[in-house]
Amino acid sequence: MKRIGWMMTWLLMLSVGIFSENRVKLNPIPKKSRIVLDGKINESCWLRLGSVSDFFTIKPGIGNIPSEGTEFYIAYSKDYLYLAAKCFDSVPGRIKTSMANRDNINQDDWISFELDMLNDKQINHFFRVNPNGIQADGTLNRYEEEDLSPDYVWKSRGTVHSKGYFIEIEIPFKSLRFGSTDSIGMSIGFRRQISRRSELISFPKYNPEAGSILMQRQSIAFRNIVSSRPFEI
C-alpha cells in the first residue's frame, strides 16, 4: 500500500499545472515504453493520455469554434519531449501541404508547438510542422514577430489520410535552454493553420484584451530532465 501511495504522489507531481476547458496532464513515458516516430499516434502510451481539443479561432474572428477539430497530446522521458497532434479535416483532399525546404511552409496547413522555455513571457521557441512532416522553427517575440534563423535539433513525422493529418514530434531536451533545478517551469501554446480557409486557431484561447499571445500561455512543469548545449547553428 505504501508503494502504491508513493507512486500516486509521484505521478501527481508530474502533472501539468494547466486549467482550462480541458485539463492537460504532462506524463512521463514508462521506461520500457517506446514511441515510434511515424505520424500514426498508435502507441499505447498515447492512447492512455487524455488529449486537449479546446481550440478557438484567432482569425477570421477571435474566439469562435474552429471549422475543423484538433487534438494534441504531450509526454516526456528523461531525455525527450514528445508531442502529437490529430488535425482532423472534413475534406482531406483539400489539405494544403508540400515537400518544401525547411522554414518554407507558411503557405501550407501546419500545426505549431510554441514553448516559453524561461517562462518569462518574452520569447517563445516554436516547432512547426506541415502535414508531410516538413519543419519550420524559430522564435516568436512579444510583438508576435517571427525569427526563422535558429535551427533546432528535433524530429517530426506526418501522415495524411481520410481523417485529416496526424503529426508526431520528438524534441531532445538538450536542444532546449532552461535552468538546472529539479522542477523546470515552462509555458506552452499550440496554433494550427487551415490554409484554404485562411483560418488560424489556438490553444489556449486567445483574448486580445489580455495582451500579447505570449502572456496567455499555459504553465507546465518537468521533473528530472537534463539540458545540454541549446542550439545547432
Side-chain angles (χ1 to χ4, degrees):
M1 291 295 294
K2 290 183 178 179
R3 181 179 178 83
I4 293 173
W6 181 87
M7 287 296 293
M8 290 298 293
T9 301
W10 180 67
L11 287 171
L12 286 170
M13 292 174 68
L14 288 162
S15 297
V16 180
I18 294 181
F19 297 89
S20 64
E21 288 83 350
N22 290 343
R23 183 182 179 183
V24 183
K25 288 186 177 181
L26 181 61
N27 290 284
I29 301 296
K31 289 183 179 180
K32 293 184 179 181
S33 296
R34 181 169 175 260
I35 291 178
V36 178
L37 218 66
D38 54 13
K40 296 181 179 179
I41 316 182
N42 57 4
E43 288 81 10
S44 60
C45 56
W46 287 134
L47 300 177
R48 288 195 300 267
L49 297 177
S51 64
V52 166
S53 58
D54 50 337
F55 282 69
F56 294 89
T57 60
I58 297 176
K59 66 176 185 180
I62 296 175
N64 298 324
I65 300 299
S67 62
E68 306 290 352
T70 308
E71 298 177 358
F72 77 81
Y73 306 77
I74 179 169
Y76 73 103
S77 67
K78 179 174 66 72
D79 299 307
Y80 295 97
L81 173 60
Y82 293 99
L83 303 134
K86 294 181 178 180
C87 300
F88 299 106
D89 199 302
S90 56
V91 191
R94 297 190 64 190
I95 291 171
K96 188 171 182 181
T97 189
S98 68
M99 295 301 294
N101 293 329
R102 183 174 184 153
D103 294 338
N104 194 28
I105 63 171
N106 202 44
Q107 301 305 311
D108 293 345
D109 284 34
W110 48 253
I111 186 82
S112 182
F113 168 65
E114 297 160 355
L115 182 64
D116 184 346
M117 299 183 196
L118 301 179
N119 215 15
D120 62 4
K121 300 176 175 57
Q122 298 298 309
I123 293 288
N124 276 195
H125 301 259
F126 65 83
F127 303 83
R128 185 173 298 162
V129 185
N130 80 359
N132 286 333
I134 305 300
Q135 301 176 352
D137 50 11
T139 60
L140 179 71
N141 67 23
R142 60 192 178 96
Y143 304 107
E144 299 180 32
E145 300 167 332
E146 292 186 358
D147 178 4
L148 291 168
S149 58
D151 283 332
Y152 308 106
V153 180
W154 55 295
K155 296 179 181 179
S156 59
R157 295 292 185 273
T159 57
V160 182
H161 43 72
S162 61
K163 294 182 179 180
Y165 68 94
F166 290 0
I167 296 294
E168 287 183 313
I169 293 173
E170 178 188 83
I171 305 172
F173 281 119
K174 67 181 181 181
S175 293
L176 306 181
R177 186 195 303 272
F178 52 84
S180 57
T181 58
D182 289 341
S183 180
I184 308 297
M186 301 186 192
S187 299
I188 62 167
F190 284 80
R191 290 189 293 169
R192 176 187 175 186
Q193 175 170 276
I194 305 171
S195 183
R196 70 179 182 276
R197 296 194 175 102
S198 300
E199 184 174 338
L200 187 64
I201 67 176
S202 72
F203 172 87
K205 187 176 184 179
Y206 172 62
N207 177 4
E209 296 181 358
S212 164
I213 196 170
L214 271 63
M215 304 287 291
Q216 302 179 53
R217 300 308 197 184
Q218 295 283 1
S219 298
I220 58 176
F222 300 94
R223 291 185 61 84
N224 303 317
I225 59 175
V226 179
S227 176
S228 183
R229 293 183 61 85
F231 304 129
E232 178 184 78
I233 305 298

